Amino acid sequence: MRKNFIGGLVLSAVAMTGCSTMCGDSCPYLIADAAFELGASEKEYEFAGTRFTFHNGSSKDVSSFTVSFMLYDSDGNNPFIGSNNVVEKVDGGVPGGSSKSVVIPMDDYLTVVPDEPYKIDFMYVREIVYSDGSEWSDPFGMYCAREAVE
């Protein structure tokens, strides 16, 4: 049910923005190895965090990017009282053609430490700011990862 709803949102966004948004731009990044981790990680988080690799597919240097993703429990339900959408800005340079390991601390989002890791879904980069001042954006998540991963 949830995937059909998200698919409908993406289809609606495509219909509203037209093909020029989808066909004219290519995705300048790659996200790999996304995982929600439980337990303390020295200097990164005390209870839980989301770790992934960001690969800059552009020849330009990235000065910051904003990542967005949703979290679900093992039954596919929202584990929080409010929104399960996490949006975080990541600072730090990523030279053109290189990768960076990223950790998003989840401690501030939790009210209870879960027994098992949450699933990550609909993960994408909303905005990239390059060191030359130019920007790339994907406000509707057209390049999102739609398969839930653990």
Side-chain angles (χ1 to χ4, degrees):
M1 177 78 158
R2 176 179 50 80
K3 288 196 177 203
N4 288 341
F5 176 72
I6 290 172
L9 285 177
V10 171
L11 182 59
S12 297
V14 171
M16 289 188 308
T17 60
C19 187
S20 62
T21 302
M22 291 292 292
C23 301
D25 296 334
S26 61
C27 187
Y29 71 89
L30 178 85
I31 292 177
D33 305 321
F36 187 93
E37 302 173 338
L38 292 174
S41 178
E42 189 176 320
K43 298 181 184 176
E44 294 171 333
Y45 52 82
E46 188 172 348
F47 300 105
T50 299
R51 184 180 307 272
F52 62 93
T53 301
F54 172 86
H55 176 74
N56 178 3
S58 168
S59 60
K60 298 189 270 184
D61 296 345
V62 170
S63 59
S64 69
F65 63 93
T66 302
V67 66
S68 176
F69 56 92
M70 300 178 99
L71 295 174
Y72 294 93
D73 65 16
S74 59
D75 296 326
N77 298 315
N78 177 355
F80 306 122
I81 294 170
S83 174
N84 62 337
N85 184 220
V86 176
V87 178
E88 291 286 332
K89 181 178 179 185
V90 179
D91 291 319
V94 185
S98 68
S99 299
K100 175 181 182 169
S101 179
V102 177
V103 176
I104 307 285
M106 295 283 100
D107 295 348
D108 291 342
Y109 292 90
L110 301 175
T111 54
V112 175
V113 178
D115 293 332
E116 52 190 41
Y118 292 139
K119 294 182 180 181
I120 301 167
D121 198 11
F122 205 70
M123 183 177 229
Y124 68 100
V125 173
R126 285 185 176 198
E127 179 182 57
I128 299 174
V129 178
Y130 294 99
S131 59
D132 67 1
S134 63
E135 296 181 4
W136 178 90
S137 67
D138 179 12
F140 302 114
M142 300 296 182
Y143 297 106
C144 72
R146 298 212 35 227
E147 296 293 323
V149 295
E150 296 183 278

